[in-house]
Amino acid sequence: GRAAAEAAGYSDLVYLAEASRARWEYRKANGSQTFANFSPKIRAEVGDAGDGAVVIERNDAQQQTVEYSENGQSLVSEMMILAGEVGAKWGSDHGVPLPYRMHYKPVIPNEGDISEIENEYSRSANLTKSFTRAVLDCSRPRSHASLGLPYYTQLSSPIRRFNDNLVHLQMKSVLRGEGVLFEAKALAELAEAAYFVEREIKQISQQCDQYWMAMYFRERMERIWECTFLSWKSQVHGMGYVQIDEVGLQVMIHLENPMRLGEKLRVRAVQVTPRLDGNSVFLFEEVSR
């Protein structure tokens, strides 16, 4: 409890935790969207004898939830978002060009039907279909609907994100009294170039993940996996997405029978081909119910 944490000398963390929840509730009241999903954690282990094995685990430490979670990840996430909002407000107040992130409020068809889906992972999968990626406007801040904020820029990770570094350089230049380092047009060109590099890096990373996933499932061709049906890609053609619950992986599968959103099913791998050229294949089929 709070008293025990403060007695142990963690009063600052208690304050941050309370502020984090308050911030989450503030954003939620302003229309922010939260989704439930898992992500797989993939690693290759090498033994003393030089033998190796691929391990995939459900990354519960980075599980996203619909409701606020009392954990370190939520605290850090909310403080990072707060830093981005404060940075965007500073830029707006001083007329400083920054890579402001804008996100339009999505139009969600059949929102009432989606809200009635009991399984939170299936409900989230169907909601995210209506969301588009955020876009940048370097001349002035605009609202970020999915975060529930009037303005926002990313600035909390200058080591791992190039655009965050641009924000830091721009802000420092102005704070030193040297004026803006980048005009809006030049900043937009830099941010666009960074986006294409980042997209290529993500693509390579995804191809690496797919290769190791294929290696993992090739060793487990006889294994039966418990899954949750998430959403349809094409109900007419029987193509849908399922979540392999144990490893937190989402895959597309052909379904012969009607399925209810959130329904449980079992699948097995039927074709697995690890490829180093980025075209790895791992296909699953439903096991008869």
Side-chain angles (χ1 to χ4, degrees), residues 20 51 53 57 61 90 117 144-145 159 162 164 174 207 225 242:
S20 174
D51 54 331
E57 299 172 332
W90 177 89
I117 301 174
H144 197 296
I159 294 177
F162 180 73
D164 293 37
V174 174
Q207 290 172 350
W225 303 90
V242 302

Side-chain angles (χ1 to χ4, degrees), residues 14 17-18 20-21 25 65 67-75:
V14 172
E18 292 175 345
S20 174
R21 172 177 279 280
E25 292 174 349
T65 56
E67 300 301 326
Y68 182 80
S69 297
E70 298 280 358
N71 56 38
Q73 180 187 345
S74 295
L75 189 155

Side-chain angles (χ1 to χ4, degrees), residues 222-235:
E222 302 302 319
R223 174 80 184 273
I224 304 298
W225 303 90
E226 300 292 332
C227 297
T228 301
F229 177 59
L230 297 178
S231 65
W232 289 106
K233 177 178 175 61
S234 172
Q235 191 168 1

Side-chain angles (χ1 to χ4, degrees), residues 82-206:
L82 173 59
E85 182 184 8
V86 171
K89 185 179 188 307
W90 177 89
S92 177
D93 291 346
H94 293 83
V96 177
L98 294 173
Y100 300 106
R101 300 183 71 84
M102 173 179 58
H103 193 273
Y104 297 105
K105 184 176 181 180
V107 177
I108 304 174
N110 304 320
E111 185 172 3
D113 294 338
I114 293 176
S115 64
E116 294 179 358
I117 301 174
E118 294 184 2
N119 183 275
E120 62 176 347
Y121 301 104
S122 179
R123 186 167 63 250
S124 293
N126 284 274
L127 274 174
T128 54
K129 290 181 179 180
S130 302
F131 281 72
T132 57
R133 63 180 300 274
V135 296
L136 297 182
D137 186 337
C138 294
S139 59
R140 62 188 178 95
R142 308 203 188 186
S143 63
H144 197 296
S146 64
L147 290 179
L149 297 176
Y151 26 62
Y152 179 69
T153 188
Q154 289 182 318
L155 56 77
S156 60
S157 303
I159 294 177
R160 68 183 178 89
R161 282 196 301 245
F162 180 73
N163 282 353
D164 293 37
N165 197 34
L166 292 179
V167 174
H168 281 238
L169 292 172
Q170 184 83 308
M171 295 177 74
K172 288 177 181 178
S173 180
V174 174
L175 291 170
R176 286 195 298 259
E178 299 171 0
V180 298
L181 189 61
F182 308 104
E183 295 296 339
K185 182 178 180 181
L187 192 61
E189 291 174 352
L190 287 169
E192 183 179 19
Y195 164 73
F196 286 110
V197 173
E198 180 182 352
R199 187 176 67 174
E200 183 177 0
I201 292 172
K202 285 184 177 179
Q203 183 180 11
I204 294 171
S205 177
Q206 290 170 353

